[in-house]
Amino acid sequence: MRLTIFGATGRTGGHLVHRALAAGHQVTAVVRGEHSIQDHPRLRVVPADVLDPGSLTDAIRGADAVLDTIGSRDTGPTTVATDTALSITKAMESAGVRRIILVSNSARIAGPGDDWFTRFVVKPLILRPLLRHSLDDMAAAEQAVRDTALDWTIIRAPQLTDKPGKGSYRTAIERNVTFGIRIARADLATCMLDAAADPQLIRAHINVAS
């Protein structure tokens, strides 16, 4: 596939670029400026302002799928994920590209699939107050993508770790993964690549965990 990756220099995006190239895909990595991505014959690095849709069109045009890993590490109010999603989807519509994979967070959704303690204690009483601003931002980013006519898939991940990937993961469609506490970023990257190639996951919310 021809893939355009946003957040390519981030901790998840770096795994995504590496695994996409290893799988034989053509990759366009969108970066803000200086970067440390190693050269590769199937890698194109495009500096761009992610909040300026006009500067993204060239990086997106011709892609089979766009993968958005951008989020905020801030604990205060933020709209990074939302603003990015709005800009990317607008550029996709201009470029005539339809497939987008958005990474979100599973902490804000307490419901089917969760064990009792996670559903009624961990998520509403611990994680929600602690991560309120970033979770609100992710919720708005999800809505921004759903409001388009694009072929979207939203992947909701739990706590991300930098441990080596296990090479496998669990998923649940439109519900939480039972005891889905964490996942390695490398395995999340693999899940994103698998989702990009699976038309059955279009317009679906996928929860993932190790």
Side-chain angles (χ1 to χ4, degrees):
M1 294 183 292
R2 294 166 296 179
L3 305 175
T4 298
I5 297 174
F6 288 88
T9 58
R11 288 186 290 172
T12 299
H15 283 290
L16 189 54
V17 170
H18 174 77
R19 290 185 175 247
L21 291 172
H25 301 302
Q26 299 282 342
V27 176
T28 297
V30 181
V31 300
R32 284 182 290 184
E34 295 295 325
H35 64 87
S36 58
I37 303 177
Q38 294 183 347
D39 291 337
H40 190 283
R42 281 183 279 101
L43 174 66
R44 179 172 68 125
V45 178
V46 178
D49 178 0
V50 74
L51 298 182
D52 176 11
S55 73
L56 306 180
T57 306
D58 179 63
I60 290 173
R61 184 177 288 112
D64 296 307
V66 172
L67 301 100
D68 179 5
T69 69
I70 295 177
S72 173
R73 300 179 186 176
D74 295 336
T75 57
T78 178
T79 58
V80 169
T82 307
D83 294 342
T84 299
L86 288 168
S87 182
I88 291 173
T89 54
K90 184 175 181 180
M92 289 178 65
E93 291 168 343
S94 296
V97 174
R98 296 191 55 82
R99 192 76 172 100
I100 181 170
I101 313 296
L102 174 72
V103 171
S104 186
N105 194 307
S106 63
R108 68 183 187 84
I109 305 294
D114 285 329
D115 63 278
W116 185 92
F117 188 67
T118 299
R119 182 171 185 172
F120 295 104
V121 178
V122 175
K123 288 186 176 180
L125 301 182
I126 300 175
L127 294 181
R128 177 65 190 175
L130 182 65
L131 305 174
R132 176 170 59 90
H133 296 298
S134 62
L135 294 180
D136 287 346
D137 187 24
M138 282 295 183
E142 286 190 19
Q143 191 61 53
V145 171
R146 285 193 296 266
D147 286 342
T148 70
L150 301 176
D151 295 333
W152 52 264
T153 299
I154 294 170
I155 298 180
R156 294 170 175 159
Q159 179 186 7
L160 301 179
T161 76
D162 293 313
K163 295 181 178 180
K166 295 183 177 180
S168 62
Y169 56 86
R170 297 182 294 146
T171 59
I173 299 177
E174 307 298 343
R175 60 187 288 121
N176 295 315
V177 178
T178 304
F179 301 116
I181 299 172
R182 59 183 61 90
I183 188 171
R185 295 176 188 276
D187 291 332
L188 173 59
T190 299
C191 177
M192 293 184 69
L193 290 175
D194 292 344
D198 190 347
Q200 294 186 8
L201 299 182
I202 290 175
R203 293 185 168 263
H205 304 89
I206 312 301
N207 279 44
V208 63
S210 62

